Amino acid sequence: MKAIVVHAAQDLRLETCSSRDPGDDEVQVQIERGGICGSDLHYFQHGGFGTVKLREPMILGHEVSGRVVQVGKNATDISQGQLVAVSPSRPCAACEYCLQGMPNHCIDMRFYGSAMPFPHIQGAFRQILTVHKNQCADAQGLSAAEAAMAEPLAVTIHAARQAGNLVGKRVLITGCGPIGLLCALVAQRAGAKEVVTTDISDYPLVMAQHLGADTTVNVTSDDSPLQSFYAGKGYFDTLFECTGVAAALAQAIPAMKPRGVIVQLGLGGDMTLPVQQMTAKELQLRGSFRFHEEFFTGVTWMKTKKIDVNPLITHTLELDQMQQAFTLATDRSVALKVQLDFS
Ligand SMILES: [Zn+2]
Ligand SMILES: [Zn+2]
């Protein structure tokens, strides 16, 4: 079977690798769709991000879905042929943080396609993947493409959890990539009164509008694009910062009301914070990193039609077009979520 391996920045290879039969608690999945994520793009474009650098070849990918082809003897609630969304979150279930109910902070996390630990954790962009039964969310009723959106959706449900109660809140979202757009959908679902989104391209902002954002702002339009929200000590209760760009956060701070909550999702390397302004407004900065049980919540929300992710999936390319797919995914002016067809 084939897998997508990154060797260095701009060096992606389609390589043959072996598959493994499932153990008693495992199932073997024939991958159908894989979504290209921001972190895959960081490895592809720069060989890593922040302090995380590729030190050996690594199979990319963590947003996958597929059909079960072999079932271990303890995986009794999963059947052959079933469509599943595969959670890339693989905590150890035994460390201090796992035992405290914070599996996303597991000391021994084996999240697919991550160069954080060494040896790196090999990813899920391969035609056959053997997974633990607990990683599988039943996706019957969804398309394989929708099921492969469960991971980014889970990231944003976790972020909404970090934000706390959103009912009646005015929400600002900086950055309208798939994560920013999913934040907009989740914030609306969680009861936000108003959602305003920003980006540097018009294309994702049109999409944000289509998905129900009340106002969209192209921040390249003038020097102080959020000025209209600065009066009276600000306008927004909650910010979802999805760019990882210091300037985006700096522009947003004066638009935040005192005691507002900033949820930082963007991971663009180090950011400088306007600490003085944040302190004077008593703003709360909360990180949001990955997810765990939210993966299954996300799949349920899609199955019960609470969230429709389809408009975000703008392109699907065959495996042998992976180079084009990764290049396309870096261009926010034409693409949102780009998926690969592994079948
Ligand atoms: Zn992802
Ligand atoms: Zn653990």
Side-chain angles (χ1 to χ4, degrees):
M1 65 140 163
K2 298 265 190 282
I4 298 177
V5 183
V6 63
H7 284 253
Q10 307 294 337
D11 184 0
L12 278 188
R13 302 181 200 172
L14 201 54
E15 291 180 0
T16 303
C17 68
S18 55
S19 58
R20 160 174 92 67
D21 284 339
D24 291 349
D25 294 314
E26 292 181 317
V27 300
Q28 196 181 62
V29 181
Q30 186 160 10
I31 299 300
E32 291 196 1
R33 286 286 191 282
I36 299 174
C37 182
S39 61
D40 300 316
L41 291 174
H42 281 302
Y43 293 121
F44 168 64
Q45 290 182 291
H46 314 294
F49 50 94
T51 55
V52 180
K53 295 266 175 276
L54 273 179
R55 285 174 280 166
E56 61 176 337
M58 181 177 82
I59 301 177
L60 286 174
H62 58 265
E63 301 181 2
V64 296
S65 66
R67 300 229 170 244
V68 173
V69 285
Q70 265 198 77
V71 183
K73 75 170 189 305
N74 298 337
T76 47
D77 51 357
I78 301 176
S79 43
Q80 238 181 26
Q82 188 178 340
L83 180 69
V84 291
V86 178
S87 174
S89 176
R90 296 188 296 164
C92 74
C95 75
E96 151 185 23
Y97 298 105
C98 283
L99 295 178
Q100 287 171 15
M102 296 189 278
N104 62 320
H105 294 292
C106 174
I107 289 169
D108 199 18
M109 172 62 81
R110 292 179 307 125
F111 200 97
Y112 287 132
S114 171
M116 277 184 196
F118 187 85
H120 300 338
I121 311 299
Q122 298 297 318
F125 280 174
R126 39 183 137 184
Q127 287 173 310
I128 303 281
L129 186 64
T130 301
V131 306
H132 194 277
K133 62 184 169 70
N134 294 349
Q135 290 175 256
C136 296
D138 171 36
Q140 285 175 98
L142 296 180
S143 66
E146 289 172 302
M149 289 294 285
E151 194 271 346
L153 178 56
V155 166
T156 60
I157 297 174
H158 184 74
R161 224 173 176 184
Q162 292 295 88
N165 188 0
L166 288 170
V167 176
K169 300 290 171 67
R170 287 179 177 143
V171 173
L172 175 63
I173 298 168
T174 46
C176 283
I179 292 292
L181 292 170
L182 288 168
C183 275
L185 289 174
V186 169
Q188 291 169 49
R189 173 55 50 186
K193 175 165 71 179
E194 186 176 343
V195 174
V196 175
T197 61
T198 73
D199 203 90
I200 54 171
S201 295
D202 284 331
Y203 173 69
L205 290 172
V206 170
M207 184 62 78
Q209 208 165 23
H210 172 69
L211 296 176
D214 297 282
T215 308
T216 61
V217 180
N218 186 323
V219 290
T220 60
S221 59
D222 64 63
D223 289 345
S224 194
L226 294 174
Q227 183 96 47
S228 58
F229 300 107
Y230 289 179
K233 281 204 163 189
Y235 189 81
F236 298 103
D237 304 289
T238 310
L239 165 64
F240 291 99
E241 205 302 295
C242 303
T243 66
V245 175
L249 182 60
Q251 271 174 354
I253 298 282
M256 294 300 292
K257 281 179 158 175
R259 300 197 179 163
V261 172
I262 300 167
V263 180
Q264 181 66 39
L265 288 103
L267 285 171
D270 279 336
M271 289 169 77
T272 310
L273 298 176
V275 172
Q276 180 79 28
Q277 288 179 62
M278 291 169 66
T279 304
K281 277 193 171 177
E282 302 185 328
L283 296 178
Q284 298 179 51
L285 177 65
R286 301 179 187 173
S288 186
F289 186 61
R290 295 179 178 159
F291 55 86
H292 187 69
E293 64 276 20
E294 293 91 345
F295 187 88
F296 297 87
T297 306
V299 172
T300 304
W301 281 10
M302 288 190 284
K303 282 162 79 170
T304 53
K305 313 278 183 223
K306 289 189 175 73
I307 294 258
D308 179 11
V309 296
N310 284 298
L312 277 70
I313 307 165
T314 54
H315 299 80
T316 306
L317 281 82
E318 302 293 319
L319 198 48
D320 57 9
Q321 299 173 293
M322 64 167 185
Q323 202 72 38
Q324 289 112 290
F326 274 76
T327 306
L328 188 61
T330 60
D331 188 351
R332 185 62 56 70
S333 66
V334 293
L336 288 166
K337 181 58 74 185
V338 176
Q339 291 189 339
L340 288 157
D341 183 350
F342 283 81
S343 51

